Amino acid sequence: MASGWAPVDDTVAPRDECAPYTTKRRSLLATRFPVDTLVVPSGGIHVRANDTDYPFRPGSDFFWLTGCHEPDAVLILHPNAAGDHDAVLYLADRSDRSSSAFYTDRRYGELWVGPRPGVRETTAALDVECRPLPELPEALARLAPARTRVLRGLDARVDRAVSRWAPTTSSADRDAVLAQTLSELRLVKDDFEIARLDEAVAATIVGFTECMTEFERAAALPNGERWLEGTFWRRARVDGNDVGYGSIVACGPHATTLHWVRDDGPVRPGDLALLDMGVEGRSLYTADLTRTLPVGGRFSPLQRQVHDVVYQAQQAGIAAVRPGATFLDPHRAAMRVIAQALHDWGLLPVTPEESLSEDPKAPGAGLHRRYTLHSTSHMLGLDVHDCAQARDETYRDASLEAGMVLTVEPGLYFQPDDLTVPPELRGIGVRIEDDILVTSDGSRNMSDGLVRSADEVERWMAGEAGRR
């Protein structure tokens, strides 16, 4: 087996375009912990069933710092005398024909899974010192517990290696601060990240268009939601890495379930189809868009009434996105529209002002939430709910800054069994979601290329149907 092979091509790929950005990010992180060693794993491959694995996707913080897609890798940042940190990336070397693993290892051997970058290739591509993974245990053993912070929960080997350190409240807090800091540093996107998000959004818009043109075929199936889900997944795999999260394809009353991911229901003419989907690009940045479309191409008067209110609420939310505004301002603006409409329809037994009170003990506070359920925005980036470890004072309670990307996604959901609403409203769910970049003088709707208003939706669907 070891003989009779053609020579291996030993040329290496050019430096990856992300390398200058990841170098800056590592330096930025280092300034927050000038005397501490930082350990950030990529995570490992997880078993799906017996001897089959889930596709691997590196941890977002690790990828933000390295651009490396490899499993089981670990980045260690060592403080140096210059006040910066030296980065060393430990990863598995190639399992090529020079190793027995090439023939015997079904998970990593290149005869089984194909060529993958090793130490030499990754050093050249990512502009970071790389070392073979077998050297990692000794490197971890040399670390001083009082001056080391670890991003835990991603790699059991790393967690076990540092478990010799006596667990204390102080060490747990130190590690938590590392996770918080990484989330907070990722709140403002650089030019490279914004470009990758634009690519993911563009691919997502194509996927939505392809799904809409498949309504007729999906309607012929008992579980047509699955057909639409698969249509979008194909686009995600062609133009990106995968879907950024489990696609929500919710038709008819399923649209009132916020996280309907079973996607196994019918697609019926006359119903609405709520599609909440996003392509995760090859650089792992994900879009997150929602449109609610009439399966037959036209809204009924009642469907249009609900859709129009959600659209107006979203317009108000997007208009509130600008530097210096608080993160919650878009939510407050959207909810004012929602609460007023619910009051006008006779569904809100208190005034909009009373329902919108942020004092949870105030009479009537929050009654509108029965029909809208969720917040209007979340940060977006490498994770669909990005920067989740950030403190409230830097995220939820903070001001928006240029370079932040957030969703604006109000919705109205009238449950099929909700006796507080008229029967004709029950089972209608509408959400509209776009990805908004905060700019120096306002905002940019990154997904503005996908129509939103009811009139635009109907014209778009008629035009696309005519081109089939």
Side-chain angles (χ1 to χ4, degrees):
M1 287 291 288
S3 61
W5 302 101
V8 176
D9 182 0
D10 62 357
T11 58
V12 297
R15 187 171 73 155
D16 193 287
E17 60 181 340
C18 77
Y21 296 92
T22 54
T23 299
K24 290 178 182 178
R25 296 169 195 164
R26 293 193 295 269
S27 293
L28 183 60
L29 178 63
T31 64
R32 302 299 181 92
F33 306 102
V35 299
D36 288 342
T37 298
L38 309 176
V39 182
V40 182
S42 72
I45 295 173
H46 295 284
V47 174
R48 181 182 184 275
N50 191 28
D51 57 351
T52 61
D53 300 322
Y54 286 104
F56 176 72
R57 197 266 197 194
S60 295
D61 292 312
F62 171 87
F63 187 80
W64 185 76
L65 292 167
T66 66
C68 178
H69 290 263
E70 291 303 302
D72 304 320
V74 178
L75 174 70
I76 300 183
L77 299 175
H78 300 278
N80 59 32
D84 198 353
H85 282 55
D86 297 320
V88 183
L89 178 58
Y90 295 86
L91 76 160
D93 212 350
R94 291 188 58 183
S95 299
D96 60 15
R97 293 185 180 93
S98 66
S99 67
S100 61
F102 176 84
Y103 314 99
T104 60
D105 190 330
R106 296 179 180 227
R107 177 176 270 181
Y108 298 107
E110 293 183 10
L111 182 65
W112 298 90
V113 299
R116 43 177 295 278
V119 170
R120 176 171 169 268
E121 295 81 8
T122 304
T123 297
L126 301 182
D127 201 16
V128 62
E129 180 185 351
C130 294
R131 304 296 303 166
L133 193 58
E135 296 181 12
L136 176 65
E138 182 180 347
L140 292 173
R142 291 195 300 265
L143 300 181
R147 289 196 171 184
T148 300
R149 298 175 189 261
V150 181
L151 197 63
R152 296 188 184 248
L154 287 165
D155 190 319
R157 299 165 311 144
V158 173
D159 290 346
R160 284 194 300 269
V162 299
S163 64
R164 60 186 174 82
W165 305 342
T168 64
T169 302
S170 175
S171 65
D173 288 346
R174 287 168 54 78
D175 292 342
V177 170
L178 173 60
Q180 288 174 356
T181 301
L182 281 163
S183 275
E184 291 167 6
L185 291 176
R186 288 171 46 211
L187 283 166
V188 175
K189 273 56 181 178
D190 58 36
D191 292 344
F192 179 84
E193 294 177 286
I194 292 168
R196 303 292 79 74
L197 283 166
D198 276 329
E199 291 170 355
V201 167
T204 298
I205 290 173
V206 174
F208 267 81
T209 302
E210 291 172 338
C211 284
M212 187 276 295
T213 63
E214 292 292 317
F215 277 174
E216 184 176 346
R217 188 175 300 187
L221 301 169
N223 57 347
E225 290 176 347
R226 289 279 170 93
W227 185 267
L228 301 180
E229 177 190 37
T231 299
F232 187 81
W233 182 81
R234 180 181 62 224
R235 175 54 53 191
R237 291 290 282 167
V238 168
D239 281 354
N241 178 58
D242 208 326
V243 290
Y245 54 95
S247 298
I248 296 171
V249 180
C251 297
H254 290 165
T256 66
T257 300
L258 288 188
H259 293 160
W260 178 260
V261 293
R262 294 207 295 272
D263 297 350
D264 61 357
V267 178
R268 299 188 181 98
D271 281 350
L272 296 177
L274 189 157
L275 310 179
D276 185 336
M277 308 180 295
V279 170
E280 178 185 82
R282 294 186 179 93
S283 293
L284 305 188
Y285 289 85
T286 185
D288 181 9
L289 305 184
T290 305
R291 293 293 185 268
T292 305
L293 309 176
V295 174
R298 297 189 67 83
F299 293 97
S300 72
L302 197 59
Q303 290 169 347
R304 176 181 279 265
Q305 176 183 325
V306 177
H307 190 279
D308 283 350
V309 167
V310 175
Y311 174 68
Q312 292 159 12
Q314 196 208 25
Q315 288 283 80
I318 292 173
V321 178
R322 58 185 179 274
T326 70
F327 172 77
L328 288 176
D329 280 350
H331 173 70
R332 294 181 178 116
M335 289 304 102
R336 280 193 291 272
V337 176
I338 294 283
Q340 185 64 56
L342 291 170
H343 183 266
D344 293 346
W345 295 345
L347 299 180
L348 204 58
V350 298
T351 67
E353 292 74 21
E354 288 171 322
S355 187
L356 291 168
S357 173
E358 296 185 13
D359 178 1
K361 296 181 179 179
L367 290 182
H368 65 285
R369 296 187 62 185
R370 179 184 181 109
Y371 312 107
T372 191
L373 301 174
H374 56 82
S375 296
T376 304
S377 298
H378 58 78
M379 292 297 180
L380 185 70
L382 281 169
D383 294 324
V384 66
H385 296 132
D386 209 30
C387 310
Q389 301 302 313
R391 296 165 295 169
D392 281 351
E393 55 263 38
T394 63
Y395 186 160
R396 187 179 183 277
D397 299 331
S399 296
L400 297 174
E401 300 178 38
M404 290 181 172
V405 179
L406 64 154
T407 64
V408 177
E409 51 173 313
L412 273 172
Y413 314 93
F414 300 112
Q415 305 302 320
D417 57 350
D418 190 343
L419 302 182
T420 70
V421 300
E424 61 270 20
L425 277 176
R426 297 172 197 166
I428 293 179
V430 174
R431 180 165 65 253
I432 308 172
E433 177 181 18
D434 283 271
D435 303 337
I436 312 299
L437 168 67
V438 184
T439 62
S440 60
D441 58 354
S443 68
R444 172 167 70 86
N445 186 344
M446 304 175 81
S447 45
D448 197 40
L450 188 60
V451 297
R452 292 184 292 137
S453 74
D455 287 340
E456 290 172 330
V457 166
E458 288 184 349
R459 287 195 296 269
W460 174 63
M461 294 184 72
E464 290 296 331
R467 280 191 282 272
R468 276 182 287 170

